[in-house]
Each structure stands twice: as structure tokens, then as C-alpha cells.
Amino acid sequence: MALVVQKFGGTSVADPQKILAAARKAVARHAAGDRVVVVVSAMGHQTDHLVDLARQITPRPSAREMDMLLSTGEQVSVALFAMATQSLGVEAVSLTGAQIGIRTDSTHTKARIRSISTDHTRKLLDSGAIVIAAGFQGIDQHGNITTLGRGGSDTTAVALAAVLGADLCEIYTDVDGVYTTDPRVLPEARRLPSISYDEMLELASLGAGVMHPRSIEFAKKFGVPVLVRSSFRDVPGTLIVAADRATPRPASGVALAKDEARITIEGVPDQPGSSHALFSRLAASGIAVDMIVQNVGQHGRADISFTVPADDREQALELSAAVARALHAAAVSHDADLAKVSVVGVGMAREQGVAGRMFSALAAEGINVRMITTSEIKISVLVDKTDGPAAVRAVHRAFALDRETVDDLSGGPTASLGRSSPLDVVNRLEGMEDLAIEDCILDASQALVTFIDLPDTPGVAADVFEEVGRAHLFVDMIVQSHPTGGRAELSFTVPAADRDRATTVARKIAAARGGTVADVPHVAKLSITGVGIRSHAGVADRLFKPLADEGINIDLVSTSEVRLNVVVAADQGERSLAVLRQAFGLG
Ligand code: ASP
Ligand code: MG
């Protein structure tokens, strides 16, 4: 007998017929002998409608009253869903977030779950009833109703599955599953049979948009298998699971973030504390920084670039200008109208030539790459906004994502696969949604190769990484800074044993293309991994501060959803590791 959580989104319960159809799915599960918890969103566009009502009263409704209002949408749908279930002959009980015991913090309209009690729900399940839980809502310590942020019912569902020890969380929605890219951008996008939590995390916040990213954080932390499937079509869907259960592909998906703005502080004195000064200011203002790229720096000065959603540009620019003045930096530059294209795949670290394939595809389309940053499972590039869709198409094709993927799950995704073990870090968390830093490790085995003054023209990165691929070099980190004065700086790391070969390759390209090459035989790379690195503001700042306090200079930075990497001088590696482990409570 399995325990299954089924979540139905707004479109799946948009009218009484759809509610009855959804209830039949729950009843069928129940009839098969499983224990069933259903989580429901508000009907159709009810939440939008409520937001609109509030706006007609006042342009600035208080957040507490907004939550009081918005939570009614789900209260309506759970009651109707319970009635529907009962009409099909099965006992059902609807519960609000407060009745279940979903405790959140008091951040109205974007509260985070702190704890969930399971007693009441378990008793009802033991009695044979189907429990119908309101998504998206909870209660704070003072008894105020809170909501989790738009789209938050997914998070309720996976969090409930986590605490109840459910074997599977099914997300019923209006799409068939998770696609290799947004099918509205690219009709040849394909449904993925399975994908890992980390890939999904990188894709979700990159604009893949199928699920509330915080729900995937829960799934990963607690090892809950999540199946995304259509409410309306009987197709297999996509199973989101731990990396060791998903198929390792060099690329699983390509994501497009359409509205990015880039800000660069040029000529920052290359000394400890500069990054900290900048990112602590931004974090204090609640600005979520996305890509961060710091180049190696020449003549004692470095450029620090970062991207923010276009909406935050003005504010980020003001703060950056103030920080630049305080640091005696040379200038601040910026541009809007950029798009970020990212390719994600858990198998990419094990394959050579992945970067080459991506950059060649972009070069063949004449697309200029403005900035590059990588993580173990992701390569992101910044391009002109107008190049975004063409870039997605080119990269999607380069990785053959438009071709048939084989359904590779034995027994099909609906088979009960059971849970993976939760991450150790879960035991150390006070609140369920607190930032969870899993580990900080030091890799002292790499060398750094840097191109200085590379011309900023389409195809340069392709030249470099095609050559690197032909030489069968394993590239780890890649960072290309925002070009200044028509010249870019491009760095990558390789195993120290391959340094000579890498430098030879680099010199050859520099001879043909212009620019010079510098290399460092040994560098120290520190990687911090965890869950919530980007969804919690200020993590980058927490990384930079202890290093600044110790007087450790950062040479390169790259960031992603699940990992932060910094490169420092080889002789600073051990000390950096020690201060970072301490700063993140890793003992
Ligand atoms: N009803 C809420 C919303 O529309 C929550 C959800 O649908 O997940 O955002
Ligand atoms: Mg929704």
C-alpha cells in the first residue's frame, strides 16, 4: 500500500466537471489500495481575480489582508473537491493550511514553510478517508493566514509528501510534463521521461516555468519522487528524481531567460572585499543577483559583472554606482535587452567537448556571446535579447534534443519507485525551507588558463572550445567576462596535468585571433553546494564576507542554483576551505 500525494492545479479544477474528473483520479488511486492526499489550487484564474478585486479597492493592499483574501480561493476548491469525492462514494475531508498544521514564517504573500504536523492528516488517512488539502497557504506563529507566493500549491504538495513519507507526488497540470525547452519558443521541444532534481532546479528558475522552484527544493532535500503529468491526456509525464535514478545526458534541456540586464563595475581594485562590498549592498536591498562573473583582472584591477531581472535594473544600478564610488572603481556600465540561454545536463561533466558543441552552434548562427558562466551541470551564456530564440534553437539542435528520447524507466513512471534518502543537512535545519548548505569542498587539482584582450566577435568562444575539444581536454569552469573596449577576457580551468597542452592550444588561438594568454599552474577551486542557494537572498554575500575578512582575494567566481564556485590562489586553498566551512556551519 503506497501513500500518494496528488496535486491538481488551477486549470485542472477550473469548473465542476473538471473537479469531478480530478476526484475520479483520486478515487481510482484509493480503490487500488493506496492512501491518497490531494492538494488543490484555486479554481482557474480565481487567484488573479481576487488580486484584481483588491487592486480595485486600493493600489497598496496590506500583505496580511492579501493573504486572508487569496487563501479563500483554495478554501473553495478543497470543499468542492471533497464533495465531489464523497459523491463518488469515498469518504473525504477537506482541510485548510491552518487545519493541517502548515506553519510558516510571517512573510505575508511569500511565506516559507517552517514545519508541518502530520497527526491530523495521518488519523484521517488511517480512517480510510481521502484528505483534500488546500495548497498555497499556511499559518504563522500568531495565527495569521499566510500564502507561499504565486504558484505555491506545488510547494504545499511536495512538502506534504515529504513529511508524510509519501512514495510519490503526482502533479497534475495542463502540460504533459517537462520539456527540453519551452514548446512555445520551439515547437520541436520534446517531453523528457525523467530529469534529476538538480537539472530541474537549474531549469525551473531559468524560466522553464512548469513548477514552483521551491517545490523542487523540497523534493531534493527529502528525496520525494515527483511525477508531472497532464490532467487531460493519458500520457506518461516526466518523473523528477535524484540524479542517480535519472538518465545522465550531456544535455537535458535548454532554458531561455528573456529579460536580463547586465551591470559591470569596471576597474575595481583587485583586492579582498570588493565583491563583498557590492553583493552585500544588493542583498540588503533584496535584489536577487543571477549570473556573477568576475574576471581574473590585469594591472591590479578587475571587472565584476552580474545580471539581474530587467525590472531590478534601475535599483541595482544606483546601488552599484554608490559601491563603485566607494571602491574607487573606474566606471559602471550596463545594458538591458539581454537574454540568458542555458544548457543543463547532469552528464556534461563526464563528457568532453560539450562547451565546444554549444559555442560552435551559436557561432554558426552568428550569435555573439556576451558573457559565459558554468557550473558542473550547466553552461549559461548572455546574448542579445533578439538573438535569444535563435540561440535556443541552435543549442537545442546541437544537442539533438529535438530527436526522439527513449522512455527509459522500467515499469513506466507510474510504477511506485519509492523515495531516495533525504539529504543529511535536513536534520540540521530549523525551518524546512531554510537554506541548506550541503558541503564545501576544495579542488586543488586544476590549472587556470586565461585569454586576455580577446576580440569580442562572434565565434571566438567557439574557436577556443572547438580546439580544446579536439585536444581532448576536460574543461571544468568557464568564465567569460563582459567585454570592455571591444575586448573580452576568457578563462577556463583544466586538470593541472593538462596545463601545458591547454596553454599550447590557447597560444595557437591567440596567435590567430589576437590577444594574449596567461596561465596559473595550480589554483584552488572551492565549491559550495546546497539547496536554496539562489532562492535565499544573500548567499553570495555569505560566501564573500569570510573570504574578505581573511584577506583572501578571489580570482574567479561562478554561480548557479545549486552551487557557488570560487577560484583563489593555490596557497590560499586550505585557509579558504576552513573559513568557508566555518561560515556555513559545516564543522
Ligand atoms: N492559487 C495560487 C496561484 O494562483 C497557487 C497555485 O495555483 O499554485 O498562484
Ligand atoms: Mg499553479
Side-chain angles (χ1 to χ4, degrees):
M1 187 171 70
L3 199 164
V4 178
V5 174
Q6 297 185 321
K7 182 254 171 179
F8 294 93
T11 46
S12 309
V13 292
D15 58 47
Q17 272 58 49
K18 289 192 173 124
I19 293 177
L20 279 160
R24 269 182 222 111
K25 289 193 166 62
V27 166
R29 266 283 181 184
H30 189 264
D34 292 336
R35 297 169 15 123
V36 182
V37 174
V38 172
V39 174
V40 201
S41 293
M43 294 171 70
H45 295 289
Q46 180 61 12
T47 310
D48 293 332
H49 173 63
L50 293 170
V51 170
D52 186 51
L53 276 180
R55 293 277 133 82
Q56 289 182 44
I57 299 280
T58 162
R60 284 177 207 277
S62 82
R64 184 191 182 279
E65 300 313 324
M66 239 8 229
D67 279 352
M68 191 63 132
L69 178 69
L70 296 191
S71 65
T72 62
E74 273 71 12
Q75 194 169 335
V76 169
S77 56
V78 283
L80 293 173
F81 203 107
M83 292 174 197
T85 311
Q86 289 162 356
S87 78
L88 298 168
V90 177
E91 192 44 51
V93 179
S94 65
L95 298 172
T96 63
Q99 286 174 320
I100 301 163
I102 299 184
R103 293 265 169 202
T104 70
D105 62 23
S106 302
T107 324
H108 284 292
T109 75
K110 38 179 184 289
R112 286 182 184 270
I113 298 176
R114 299 200 55 78
S115 66
I116 302 180
S117 49
T118 53
D119 300 357
H120 193 33
T121 308
R122 273 193 203 289
K123 262 186 216 128
L124 291 168
L125 290 173
D126 287 346
S127 76
I130 295 181
V131 173
I132 320 292
F136 174 58
Q137 55 179 265
I139 190 172
D140 77 358
Q141 56 173 343
H142 308 295
N144 296 303
I145 292 176
T146 53
T147 64
L148 307 180
R150 296 305 305 272
S153 296
D154 292 335
T155 294
T156 305
V158 183
L160 269 173
V163 294
L164 292 168
D167 302 278
L168 182 66
C169 181
E170 293 182 322
I171 304 286
Y172 284 96
T173 177
D174 52 358
V175 295
D176 307 349
V178 179
Y179 276 66
T180 49
T181 195
D182 185 344
R184 286 167 304 183
V185 176
L186 209 62
E188 58 265 43
R190 306 198 58 84
R191 182 183 57 79
L192 288 160
S194 70
I195 188 167
S196 68
Y197 298 134
D198 281 350
E199 288 168 309
M200 194 61 202
L201 276 169
E202 300 276 23
L203 288 171
S205 64
L206 291 172
V210 181
M211 288 192 68
H212 199 230
R214 282 161 53 192
S215 65
I216 310 298
E217 296 184 357
F218 268 105
K220 179 179 175 184
K221 279 198 236 179
F222 295 90
V224 182
V226 174
L227 177 61
V228 180
R229 61 190 311 188
S230 167
S231 274
F232 311 116
R233 300 195 329 130
D234 194 17
V235 288
T238 300
L239 192 63
I240 310 172
V241 282
D244 57 359
R245 298 184 182 193
T247 314
R249 287 171 288 247
S252 288
V254 182
L256 174 66
K258 288 189 195 110
D259 283 298
E260 297 271 302
R262 185 265 320 160
I263 296 176
T264 302
I265 307 198
E266 296 172 15
V268 179
D270 188 13
Q271 66 199 24
S274 305
S275 302
H276 170 57
L278 174 64
F279 294 109
S280 59
R281 274 298 272 282
L282 294 167
S285 302
I287 294 181
V289 173
D290 178 14
M291 285 167 104
I292 297 177
V293 169
Q294 186 196 317
N295 69 354
V296 173
Q298 306 304 321
H299 318 297
R301 292 194 170 251
D303 297 340
I304 304 175
S305 298
F306 60 92
T307 63
V308 291
D311 290 344
D312 288 337
R313 183 178 63 139
E314 287 304 321
Q315 205 195 349
L317 201 51
E318 259 170 49
L319 294 167
S320 303
V323 173
R325 272 193 303 276
L327 292 175
H328 303 290
V332 176
S333 70
H334 62 98
D335 73 82
D337 297 331
L338 295 170
K340 183 176 67 168
V341 177
S342 305
V343 56
V344 174
V346 276
M348 93 173 33
R350 266 166 272 165
E351 254 180 69
Q352 294 168 349
V354 173
R357 246 204 274 179
M358 171 155 186
F359 297 123
S360 308
L362 295 172
E365 296 292 316
I367 295 169
N368 197 14
V369 174
R370 307 299 200 111
M371 246 166 62
I372 306 171
T373 169
T374 61
S375 80
E376 244 69 344
I377 66 165
K378 180 176 81 166
I379 305 175
S380 294
V381 298
L382 205 58
V383 300
D384 289 340
K385 191 172 169 173
T386 46
D387 285 335
V392 169
R393 191 173 313 116
V395 174
H396 195 264
R397 199 172 295 148
F399 287 99
L401 291 174
D402 49 350
R403 295 214 213 107
E404 192 78 45
T405 35
V406 189
D407 242 330
D408 43 27
L409 298 156
S410 49
T414 42
S416 169
L417 282 139
R419 298 162 65 110
S420 312
S421 23
L423 304 181
D424 290 338
V425 60
V426 162
N427 303 316
R428 302 198 297 268
L429 299 181
E430 252 178 64
M432 291 181 81
E433 280 201 82
D434 288 355
L435 171 68
I437 298 296
E438 285 176 82
D439 209 356
C440 175
I441 54 168
L442 168 65
D443 174 357
S445 71
Q446 300 199 41
L448 175 67
V449 179
T450 301
F451 286 93
I452 302 156
D453 287 345
L454 261 185
D456 173 33
T457 45
V460 175
D463 267 12
V464 173
F465 293 104
E466 278 165 15
E467 234 0 269
V468 161
R470 272 194 288 276
H472 299 291
L473 289 164
F474 261 109
V475 181
D476 178 19
M477 254 172 109
I478 301 173
V479 171
Q480 184 197 299
S481 63
H482 170 71
T484 42
R487 301 268 151 182
E489 190 184 287
L490 172 64
S491 299
F492 61 91
T493 62
V494 289
D498 292 338
R499 170 204 166 203
D500 286 343
R501 282 202 303 131
T503 309
T504 307
V505 167
R507 294 233 162 86
K508 191 167 134 196
I509 296 159
R513 280 284 198 162
T516 50
V517 174
D519 65 348
V520 185
H522 295 282
V523 290
K525 175 185 159 198
L526 294 128
S527 301
I528 293 173
T529 50
V531 184
I533 287 184
R534 216 164 76 77
S535 59
H536 285 78
V539 183
D541 179 39
R542 278 180 62 192
L543 166 76
F544 294 130
K545 180 163 190 333
L547 295 175
D549 289 348
E550 277 293 300
I552 295 167
N553 195 23
I554 297 168
D555 287 335
L556 270 186
V557 179
S558 70
T559 55
S560 90
E561 213 56 41
V562 295
R563 177 183 291 269
L564 281 172
N565 292 321
V566 292
V567 169
V568 301
D571 59 356
Q572 310 251 359
E574 292 293 342
R575 209 151 53 92
S576 304
L577 182 66
V579 296
L580 287 176
R581 292 196 70 91
Q582 199 193 349
F584 286 101
L586 293 168

